[in-house]
Amino acid sequence: MRTPLPAPRHPATGDDAAPASAAAPDAPPASDAPPPHAPSGRRRTSRPRTAVALVLVLALLGCGAGLLVRARQLTGAPALHNRALTDTEATSRVVDEVGGALARVFSYGPGDTATTRQAARRLLAGRAARQYEALFGQVEQRAAQQRLTLTTHVVRAGVTRLDDRGAQLLVFLDQVAQRAGKPATTVAAQLSVTAELHEGRWRIVDIRSR
């Protein structure tokens, strides 16, 4: 009967050396393990995003509130009663009548001031009529002495307010003055004019230089 021979030993490792393939068989790969700082990193990035979202919401709310206020102003009682925004025919009428009145009362010649005075009494009322009457005496004297002719042209007129009883206008004028023997001179004027409706006709009640 033969005695079995002992297994040969590896010359480099010895009896206690473990094979390399047997080391930590159940350990997960290093790349699959989440980094320890990942959760805290996600918390840090969520805060700025939340802040930006809040800022956007507040901006939208502020814009919406501004639009609501503007809409309320446009649809409020003063705006609804201002026919200058809606009634083209009435607006054109007041521009034509007031513009024609200004051209008449601010145009005269050295021998025709009486016609201008009569037109002013028909087309002006209130404060405008009182001021005009107080100053026109001086105008008549100057026109006669200097042989002065004044011609007024309405360059542009716009209605800023119009209702059933009154109107507010902004009027731009060119006034051409000529004295005997001298060249004519042109002066531009800008007036704020208030007119009121009397018996179906617009009469100027206030004139202010701007």
Side-chain angles (χ1 to χ4, degrees), residues 67-87:
L67 292 175
L68 288 175
V69 171
R70 181 60 177 164
R72 184 176 180 182
Q73 291 175 348
L74 292 176
T75 58
L80 289 176
H81 291 293
N82 188 1
R83 294 169 58 195
L85 304 175
T86 57
D87 195 334

Side-chain angles (χ1 to χ4, degrees), residues 49-70:
R49 290 177 182 174
T50 303
V52 171
L54 288 175
V55 170
L56 291 176
V57 170
L58 291 176
L60 290 174
L61 289 175
C63 182
L67 292 175
L68 288 175
V69 171
R70 181 60 177 164

Side-chain angles (χ1 to χ4, degrees), residues 105-106 108-110 113-114 116-117 121 130-150 179:
V105 300
F106 291 127
Y108 51 84
T113 55
T116 303
R117 184 188 288 272
R121 290 173 178 173
R130 293 191 297 270
Q131 288 183 332
Y132 191 92
E133 190 66 26
L135 296 174
F136 196 73
Q138 302 176 15
V139 171
E140 285 182 311
Q141 293 179 3
R142 189 182 308 159
Q145 294 171 357
Q146 301 178 2
R147 306 297 297 171
L148 176 63
T149 300
L150 181 69
R179 294 175 175 84

